Amino acid sequence: MTMIEINLQTVRDRIVAACKAAGRNPAEVTLLAVSKTFGAEAVQAAYAAGQTAFGENYIQEAVDKITALRDLPLVWHCIGPIQSNKTRLVAEHFDWVHSIDRLKIAQRLSEQRPEHLPPLQVCIQVNVDGGETKSGVSPTDLSDLAQAVAALPRLQLRGLMTIPEPAETDAQMRAVHRQAKNLFEQLRAQGLPLDTLSMGMSADMAAAIAEGSTMVRVGTAIFGKR
Ligand SMILES: *Cc1c(COP(=O)(O)O)cnc(C)c1O
C-alpha cells in the first residue's frame, strides 16, 4: 500500500466513525481530497486508491493537473479565491466552485461556462464567524447573493462553503458549524433546492459532520505536509 492509500483509508474510517457518532449515514458525506501544491502523480495515486473528487486552490496549478489527468474520470472542485482575470480558466476546467463570494465573479463564470459542458456546480462561501480579513459573504448579505446566483443560467447553486477560524474546543467548533447549517436551512426554506454543505477540514471534521456537513475537504491528512 502507498502512504496515500493508507492515509485515505484512515480518513475514510474517521468519516464513518463521525457519522456513526452523529447517527448519520456515511453515504451522505463526500470526501474531497485537497491536492493543492501536490503534483499529478499524487492525484493519480489517490485515484488508484478509489478517490475521484479533488479540491484545488491555485487556478493555474490546478489547470495544469486537470489537463495532464484529463483521461481519468475525476471531479475537480475549485476551493480557493478567484480573481476576475481567472474566471475563464475556472469556467473552462472545473466541475465545481465552492468559493463564490461576489455576484460579479458568479456572473463571469456563468457567461464564460462553455456550452458543451454541464452547468458549473457552485457553493457560496459564507463568513460565518465574522473574521474581518476573510473572504466569504456576510450572513446578512447571503440571501440576496444566493437568489441572484441561483438565477444565473450556466451555474447550478448547490449550497454553502465555510472556512471557520480555528477554535479551541469541540463546543466552539460545533457552534460555528451549527450557524452555517442554520443559514443553509433558511435558504432551503426560501425555496432554493440546496443539497451541499461544504464544511470541515482535517481538524474539525467530526464537529462539522455532527452539525450536518455533506462534504469535508481534507488535504494534509491524505497527502502529507505542504
Ligand atoms: C487547504 C484547504 C483545505 C485542506 O486543509 P488541510 O488542513 O490540509 O486538510 C480545505 N479547504 C480549503 C478551502 C483549503 O484551502
Side-chain angles (χ1 to χ4, degrees):
M1 291 230 280
T2 64
M3 190 51 77
I4 287 175
E5 195 174 356
I6 294 166
N7 289 346
L8 263 174
Q9 195 51 55
T10 304
V11 170
R12 287 181 192 132
D13 290 346
R14 284 175 60 197
I15 293 172
V16 169
C19 286
K20 270 222 177 85
R24 296 185 59 198
N25 180 350
E28 294 171 15
V29 180
T30 300
L31 171 60
L32 191 59
V34 178
S35 43
K36 65 182 177 209
T37 78
F38 291 92
E41 47 328 306
V43 174
Q44 216 154 5
Y47 171 69
Q51 180 66 29
T52 54
F54 292 89
E56 291 280 344
N57 284 57
Y58 311 111
I59 312 303
Q60 189 56 58
E61 176 199 319
V63 168
D64 293 344
K65 270 179 254 183
I66 295 170
T67 307
L69 297 170
R70 63 172 165 255
D71 292 338
L72 299 182
L74 306 180
V75 181
W76 292 98
H77 297 243
C78 176
I79 60 174
I82 304 173
Q83 313 290 319
S84 292
N85 62 356
K86 290 285 173 17
T87 52
R88 183 174 298 280
L89 276 178
V90 172
E92 289 178 349
H93 291 91
F94 281 89
D95 303 289
W96 282 69
V97 174
H98 293 219
S99 41
I100 302 277
D101 63 357
R102 285 180 287 155
L103 183 57
K104 184 180 161 217
I105 295 294
Q107 284 168 331
R108 289 175 65 91
L109 290 170
S110 182
E111 282 159 15
Q112 295 168 343
R113 181 68 168 172
E115 280 302 324
H116 70 276
L117 294 177
L120 190 60
Q121 308 297 301
V122 302
C123 294
I124 292 176
Q125 182 178 347
V126 56
N127 183 356
V128 190
D129 49 4
E132 290 269 327
T133 58
K134 279 200 312 183
S135 45
V137 66
S138 76
T140 40
D141 296 334
L142 173 63
S143 174
D144 286 349
L145 180 59
Q147 295 291 346
V149 169
L152 293 171
R154 298 291 290 145
L155 302 188
Q156 184 171 0
L157 180 60
R158 298 291 296 270
L160 300 181
M161 189 267 263
T162 62
I163 311 177
E165 295 295 322
E168 301 270 302
T169 67
D170 190 60
Q172 283 168 346
M173 285 191 261
R174 287 190 56 163
V176 177
H177 293 316
R178 195 171 313 132
Q179 287 175 42
K181 170 71 167 172
N182 288 341
L183 292 169
F184 176 76
E185 292 302 340
Q186 282 167 26
L187 294 177
R188 281 162 52 91
Q190 291 172 19
L192 294 172
L194 308 184
D195 62 5
T196 303
L197 192 49
S198 167
M199 64 181 189
M201 314 202 284
S202 301
D204 61 347
M205 200 165 80
I209 288 172
E211 297 298 339
S213 169
T214 71
M215 202 178 280
V216 290
R217 310 178 308 265
V218 180
T220 312
I222 296 172
F223 295 105
K225 271 206 161 64
R226 288 182 292 271

